Amino acid sequence: PMIPYVRDLDFEYGRCDQVSPLIRRVIARNPGPFTFTGTGTYIIGRGEVAVIDPGPDLDDHLEALLAALEPGERVSHILVTHHHSDHSPLARALKARTGAPIYGCAVGMAAEESTIRTEAGADFDFRPDIDLCGGGQVIEGPGWTLEAVATPGHTSNHICFALREENAFFSGDHIMGWSTTVITPPDGDMTDYMASLELVKARGYDVLWPTHGPPILEVTPFIEAYAAHRRAREAQVLKAVIDGYGKITEMVPVLYADVDSRLHPAAARSVFGHMIDLVRRGKVVTEGEPRIDGTYRPAS
């Protein structure tokens, strides 16, 4: 199944773009294989504003965010989708400059214990002032209302934000238009991820604003293609096991032959995520708990 990727983005680093009536965006200069053109930080509202995903700890990005504010405007809320280093670290400097509290879900034990660094790194010092774990909280300012929506999968503490006034959804790294999302166990969980995709689809948003890349305007077909891609990958993993590939390291070069080899370590984590899910569902067996270096065989 082909995902209808959206990758065209008109931007300049540090420039503030008004992308909808209530949303402004400033993109940080941290392009890379996991971040596309860089972290897109969103400013919501007028007068008293919320900032979503301040981004990496870059002085020029902090100054660009502050310069994006109109005279007399103030940041009242700093919202963070999750603790990866391209999303959360600048929250502390932004709080120091604005006094705004940080909202988010603290780093779970699984993340602390995960020694794998396949992404832009993790911010284990992330400590929100106000806890959004579990979702459901409403955060509001003059003319804008955001609801925290728990979307575990990419990380155990991933939170998205729904902007009621525009029926819009800030999807963090949960759903991105330019790429699929990396699921790296133990903090990432494929079972949770698939459930979170269904949750977002069921809510019927008009637009998704990922932290990297352009907005997704055809929401339902995109999420359906995204989920179908995962199911197709799962079928490939299961077939590889049936065909006698018992080790994840043997499968990755075959399954991801068309993918940049720099991403193969992350791909191995993603295959591991599928494997844990397949073991849970009784399709594949292994000795003891699933491990990245474990040996797998078909259940039947």
Side-chain angles (χ1 to χ4, degrees), residues 28 39 41-42 51-56 61-62 65 78-80 86-92 94:
T39 298
T41 301
Y42 294 103
V51 172
I52 299 178
D53 278 351
H61 189 52
L62 175 63
L65 291 176
I78 300 168
L79 312 179
V80 175
D86 51 326
H87 293 256
S88 60
L90 199 66
R92 294 183 282 277
L94 188 61

Side-chain angles (χ1 to χ4, degrees), residues 186-246:
D187 191 35
D189 188 295
M190 193 66 69
T191 315
D192 287 349
Y193 183 76
M194 297 301 287
S196 296
L197 277 186
E198 288 303 313
L199 170 79
V200 176
K201 188 177 87 169
R203 283 170 158 252
Y205 296 108
D206 291 334
V207 57
L208 307 182
W209 294 98
T211 300
H212 308 284
I216 297 161
L217 303 176
E218 301 289 336
V219 176
T220 300
F222 191 90
I223 294 175
E224 286 174 349
Y226 224 52
H229 168 83
R230 293 285 176 185
R231 286 192 294 270
R233 185 67 82 192
E234 173 194 287
Q236 290 174 338
V237 171
L238 184 56
K239 183 177 185 301
V241 175
I242 291 166
D243 288 347
Y245 290 93

Side-chain angles (χ1 to χ4, degrees), residues 23 47 57 75 149 213 225 233 252:
I23 304 169
D57 197 0
V75 177
V149 180
R233 185 67 82 192
V252 169

Side-chain angles (χ1 to χ4, degrees), residues 1 30 33 39 43 110 134 137 154 159 193 200 215 257 263 272 287 291:
N30 63 325
T39 298
I43 300 170
Q137 302 85 349
H154 173 61
I159 299 279
Y193 183 76
V200 176
L263 299 178
F272 183 39
E287 291 297 319
R291 302 202 333 261

Side-chain angles (χ1 to χ4, degrees), residues 95-161:
K95 177 186 175 178
R97 293 284 288 272
T98 64
I102 299 167
Y103 293 70
C105 181
V107 183
M109 288 304 294
E112 294 277 17
E113 290 164 9
S114 178
T115 55
I116 308 300
R117 297 288 176 271
T118 51
E119 289 228 28
D123 173 17
F124 293 116
D125 297 324
F126 177 61
R127 300 282 183 276
D129 299 305
I130 290 136
D131 177 37
L132 299 180
C133 291
Q137 302 85 349
V138 173
I139 299 147
E140 51 197 337
W144 57 267
T145 316
L146 290 163
E147 179 194 351
V149 180
T151 49
H154 173 61
T155 61
S156 55
N157 68 334
H158 198 287
I159 299 279
C160 294
F161 299 97

